[in-house]
């Protein structure tokens, strides 16, 4: 995008496990690049989008996004493509920041941050991101006692190394999963959770007090009939059995957050999980609310979830995602700004998390360049702001430490 003397770019990410109501990417189909090519999407940016945005003041993000909305009013942006609207909308944001000569986070208008989002870092990948060696998608950690980004990322890296050493000593490493986490060979979910605790301890840190566990169950991917299939364990669990399995994990391991603990259509399951865990843990809606202000307000009113994962490409524009953040805050929810499993070197997510005052930022692991690009951007932002990490929100303060001494 060119504007006066400045030019700006942005790249849309892509997800592997997606909510059914989120904006869809436009792909060429056919055989080239397995049907995943985006020549039509690029052409749409250069022609259709260019035609409507030419002459629009980039300082007016709302107007630019409204014009994108008008090009494709469908909620899932199926004609124009969510990747088209997301890249264009983010490019407007970057252009406006460049024109003013300010960092992108500042252009979001939230004022000077008094705290920075706490990193939520993937250590083990599973589910759709690792050929389902384990069914749960993201085994993550949240540095709880770290006071700044630097300290938090060092702790995360130490835990990653600790888990790697534990896996190697058992001859159980398979490689690296989509978001950079270890892709392990494990016999059960409990083994993966125990590996996290071992990794935290190997790093010389106290499980629960220094570093806690968070899980993205991505349960929409596991839903089968009225229950959930744990294919890696050859099990099918009813809603009640799945809930008690989660409860057992939360009792045995220092878990502070559960994302998508039930499938997006299992409203009863999501409500039950929020009732059971919501006072002491974050119950995060991802597929369940797809960064939609309307869905977040509706879920909050019905007692489902207490935190929203915000992904700008689920909403399709910066303005729509910002509205989702506002809806979450209005409902008293916590906010986690997240990248996708399919990422690039684009670092917008670090700025969105800071500018929107997110509680947590989730961008995958601390390996793979597209992940470290975002952590490094967060470090660069932190260098310019002498502020601490945001305290873990009340819903994410588990009293569980660990049963392992
Ligand atoms: C999620 C994201 C990131 P995906 O489910 O939260 O882990 O994955 O981009 O595949 O939806
Ligand atoms: Mg998720």
């Amino acid at each position: 995008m060119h504007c006066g003397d400045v030019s700006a770019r942005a790249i849309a990410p892509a997800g592997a496990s997606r909510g059914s109501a989120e904006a869809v990417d436009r792909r060429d189909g056919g055989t080239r690049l397995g049907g995943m090519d985006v020549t039509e999407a690029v052409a749409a940016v250069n022609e259709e989008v260019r035609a409507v945005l030419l002459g629009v003041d980039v300082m007016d993000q709302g107007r630019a996004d409204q014009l994108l909305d008008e090009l494709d009013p469908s909620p899932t942006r199926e004609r124009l493509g969510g990747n088209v609207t997301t890249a264009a909308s983010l490019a407007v944001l970057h252009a406006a920041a460049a024109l003013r000569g300010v960092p992108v986070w500042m252009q979001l208008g939230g004022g000077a941050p008094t705290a920075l989002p706490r990193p939520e870092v993937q250590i083990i990948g599973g589910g759709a991101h690792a050929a389902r060696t384990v069914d749960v998608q993201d085994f993550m950690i949240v540095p709880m006692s770290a006071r700044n980004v630097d300290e938090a990322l060092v702790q995360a890296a130490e835990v990653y190394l600790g888990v790697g050493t534990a896996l190697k000593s058992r001859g159980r490493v398979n490689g690296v999963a989509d978001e950079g986490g270890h892709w392990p060979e494990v016999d059960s979910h409990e083994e993966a959770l125990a590996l996290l605790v071992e990794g935290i301890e190997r790093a010389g840190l106290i499980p629960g007090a220094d570093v806690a566990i968070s899980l993205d169950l991505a349960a929409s991917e596991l839903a089968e009939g009225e229950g959930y299939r744990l294919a890696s364990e050859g099990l099918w669990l009813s809603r009640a059995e799945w809930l008690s399995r989660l409860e057992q994990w939360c009792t045995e391991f220092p878990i502070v957050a559960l994302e998508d603990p039930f499938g997006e259509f299992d409203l009863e399951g999501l409500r039950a999980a929020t009732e059971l865990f919501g006072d002491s843990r974050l119950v995060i809606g991802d597929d369940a609310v797809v960064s939609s202000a309307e869905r977040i307000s509706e879920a909050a009113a019905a007692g489902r979830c207490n935190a929203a994962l915000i992904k700008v490409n689920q909403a399709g524009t910066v303005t729509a995602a910002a509205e989702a953040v506002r809806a979450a805050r209005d409902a008293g929810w916590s906010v986690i700004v997240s990248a996708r499993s399919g990422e690039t070197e684009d670092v917008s997510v670090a700025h969105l998390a800071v500018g929107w005052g997110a509680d947590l930022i989730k961008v995958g692991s601390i390996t793979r360049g597209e992940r470290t690009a975002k952590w490094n951007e967060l470090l660069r932002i932190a260098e310019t702001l002498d502020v601490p990490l945001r305290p873990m929100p009340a819903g994410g303060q588990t009293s569980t430490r660990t049963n392992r001494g």
Side-chain angles (χ1 to χ4, degrees):
M1 171 152 312
H2 298 277
C3 179
D5 288 336
V6 305
S7 71
R9 289 175 183 278
I11 313 174
S17 69
R18 295 178 296 270
S20 64
E22 68 178 75
V24 291
D25 286 346
R26 182 160 173 186
R27 304 279 182 173
D28 294 349
T31 52
R32 193 178 138 93
L33 295 178
M36 303 301 272
D37 203 357
V38 288
T39 49
E40 284 178 17
V42 172
V45 171
N46 290 334
E47 292 157 23
E48 228 181 318
V49 170
R50 181 175 188 275
V52 296
L53 291 189
L54 210 61
V56 172
D57 182 0
V58 290
M59 294 300 166
D60 195 348
Q61 182 83 43
R63 175 71 186 140
D65 288 343
Q66 187 192 352
L67 289 166
L68 291 171
D69 287 344
E70 285 167 9
L71 276 183
D72 181 358
S74 70
T76 55
R77 306 181 190 272
E78 58 215 32
R79 188 193 68 76
L80 192 57
N83 44 357
V84 172
T85 60
T86 300
S89 179
L90 283 170
V92 170
L93 176 69
H94 281 268
L99 204 60
R100 270 179 69 202
V102 300
V104 173
W105 62 261
M106 202 182 275
Q107 188 57 28
L108 291 159
T114 53
L116 289 174
R118 196 165 280 276
E120 185 187 26
V121 186
Q122 190 198 60
I123 302 296
I124 292 176
H129 299 169
R132 298 185 195 286
T133 354
V134 281
D135 296 280
V136 167
Q137 183 179 284
D138 289 318
F139 292 84
M140 296 169 287
I141 51 132
V142 180
M144 305 286 283
S145 62
R147 286 149 302 177
N148 54 48
V149 180
D150 222 77
E151 205 182 330
L153 293 180
V154 169
Q155 288 186 353
E158 301 267 16
V159 174
Y160 186 88
L161 291 171
V163 170
T165 308
L167 278 166
K168 273 186 211 121
S169 70
R170 295 171 207 187
R172 295 251 167 152
V173 198
N174 253 353
V176 167
D178 281 6
E179 294 188 27
H182 293 293
W183 178 334
E185 195 65 56
V186 285
D187 294 330
S188 68
H189 291 88
E190 287 76 8
E191 190 185 348
L193 287 162
L195 272 165
L196 287 188
V197 171
E198 185 178 336
I200 297 168
E201 285 167 346
R202 278 178 182 266
L205 299 162
I206 303 169
D210 288 326
V211 174
I213 296 174
S214 67
L215 299 176
D216 181 358
L217 290 310
S220 298
E221 300 274 320
L222 313 177
E224 190 182 295
E226 295 286 293
Y228 294 86
R229 163 94 34 212
L230 295 188
S232 66
E233 296 184 26
L235 279 178
W236 180 90
L237 303 177
S238 68
R239 178 191 290 140
E241 287 167 335
W242 176 234
L243 185 65
S244 68
R245 186 84 182 261
L246 294 177
E247 192 177 13
Q248 195 187 322
W249 292 351
C250 285
T251 311
E252 208 180 324
F253 301 97
I255 296 173
V256 286
L258 298 165
E259 181 182 327
D260 282 348
F262 284 81
E264 62 171 306
F265 300 113
D266 190 348
L267 306 187
E268 181 45 37
L270 288 164
R271 200 202 49 74
T274 309
E275 194 175 300
L276 186 60
F277 304 118
D279 287 343
S280 54
R281 292 173 181 81
L282 297 180
V283 181
I284 306 166
D286 173 13
D287 296 355
V289 291
V290 292
S291 306
S292 147
E294 202 183 328
R295 283 168 193 269
I296 288 169
S297 306
E298 195 185 307
R304 300 191 296 268
C305 306
N306 62 12
L309 202 77
I310 303 291
K311 296 161 165 171
V312 72
N313 81 322
Q314 281 183 324
T317 61
V318 172
T319 302
E323 279 163 10
V325 171
R326 242 185 325 273
R329 292 305 191 193
D330 286 349
W333 282 19
S334 299
V335 168
I336 298 92
V337 170
S338 174
R340 301 305 305 247
S341 53
E343 272 292 341
T344 68
E345 69 276 21
D346 187 289
V347 295
S348 306
V349 67
H351 290 272
L352 297 175
V354 172
W356 285 334
D359 297 289
L360 298 173
I361 173 169
K362 173 187 174 190
V363 306
S365 198
I366 41 87
T367 69
R368 294 184 56 139
E370 79 280 7
R371 311 287 149 189
T372 55
K374 290 153 183 69
W375 295 129
N376 286 340
E377 188 70 0
L378 188 65
L379 282 166
R380 284 183 209 108
I381 296 172
E383 269 171 14
T384 65
L385 295 166
D386 190 21
V387 295
L389 288 179
R390 194 156 276 116
M392 193 65 182
Q397 289 288 17
T398 174
S399 57
T400 311
R401 291 272 155 127
T402 173
N403 289 348
R404 292 152 196 265

